[in-house]
Amino acid sequence: MAEVVIVADEDAAGALVADAIVSLIRQKPDAVLGLATGSTPLASYRALADRIAEERIDVRGVRGFALDEYVGLPAGHPESYRSVISREVVEPLGLTPELVRVPNGDPATIRTAGSDYEAAIDAAGGVDLQILGIGRTGHIGFNEPGSSLASLTRVKTLTEPTRVDNARFFDSPDDVPMHCITQGIGTILRARHLVLLAFGEAKAHAVAAAVEGPVTASQPGSAIQLHPHTTVIVDEAAAAEL
Ligand code: GLP
């Protein structure tokens, strides 16, 4: 059973996440962070940036791997996860850009992009701490319901509810890409520590299914129950169905 921590708000969660990452980096200056996009981890990234600045922590050796990317957005598109990770994580934290990777969603090289990404994670020695959000559909990364619990990084089709949820970042819902490349559930489970964050009532069902439901591919978040070291940090609203 995952350790579940109920906090007052996103800032309180951010302080806990920042604490965990700061102690990791102090022990291991070339720590490997697993980075999630979406709005959920933003307060954690802000709290971490503040701690790094206040305590003058040397993060130049810290490495990172993002969970996922859209397929087919032009390079430099502001909503590509490459751009989001640069803007929300690499720049504010002062990480070394070359040490932070995002799956490559370029259609020209997509056939080998998954295995290349797996090889890069292996070469880095695996992810030390993986930050996870969870989608309304129960997805982690972009592993939508039905994803194999043993899956590795690969191309997936986005579900309609996820495209609708993510349309807020694009000019029109039709601009949301149809496909993505995402770390698999098997990839995510290899990280040494999973930290799943969720806030707000819209996530309550997915959180309950992840933490207490049966382990099933129809609720990808439930795979966290297979991991020996998972911390779930939620606010009261997201904890409402636990
Ligand atoms: C996105 C991302 C996920 C994220 C989830 C929730 O589509 N691919 O990694 O956890 O959906 O997003 P949010 O945090 O904005 O609710």
Side-chain angles (χ1 to χ4, degrees), residues 36-41 67-68 70 81 132-136 139-142 158 162 166 168-169 203:
T37 49
S39 46
T40 302
L67 280 172
D68 45 17
Y70 294 110
Y81 285 171
L132 292 172
I134 188 163
R136 229 174 6 122
H139 70 251
I140 50 173
F142 267 137
L158 294 174
T162 297
N166 288 7
R168 67 189 193 276
F169 298 112
K203 300 292 176 73

Side-chain angles (χ1 to χ4, degrees), residues 39-94:
S39 46
T40 302
L42 293 178
S44 296
Y45 297 143
R46 283 196 296 272
L48 183 57
D50 288 348
R51 290 281 303 271
I52 289 169
E54 281 160 17
E55 297 168 35
R56 298 171 187 258
I57 299 165
D58 183 356
V59 295
R60 286 171 299 176
V62 171
R63 296 166 289 169
F65 287 92
L67 280 172
D68 45 17
E69 176 60 290
Y70 294 110
V71 171
L73 285 184
H77 189 290
E79 293 309 328
S80 74
Y81 285 171
R82 168 84 262 170
S83 301
V84 172
I85 290 284
S86 298
R87 195 164 65 228
E88 307 289 0
V89 184
V90 175
E91 289 163 20
L93 270 57

Side-chain angles (χ1 to χ4, degrees), residues 103-173:
N104 186 349
D106 181 352
T109 51
I110 202 71
R111 286 218 280 177
T112 52
S115 51
D116 289 352
Y117 204 63
E118 291 289 328
I121 296 174
D122 284 349
V127 170
D128 291 304
L129 185 151
Q130 175 66 56
I131 298 172
L132 292 172
I134 188 163
R136 229 174 6 122
T137 61
H139 70 251
I140 50 173
F142 267 137
N143 296 283
E144 297 282 17
S147 298
S148 157
L149 300 182
S151 49
L152 301 179
T153 307
R154 71 232 182 280
V155 172
K156 293 289 284 179
T157 304
L158 294 174
T159 60
E160 206 44 38
T162 297
R163 291 186 70 238
V164 169
D165 282 349
N166 288 7
R168 67 189 193 276
F169 298 112
F170 292 84
D171 292 338
S172 116

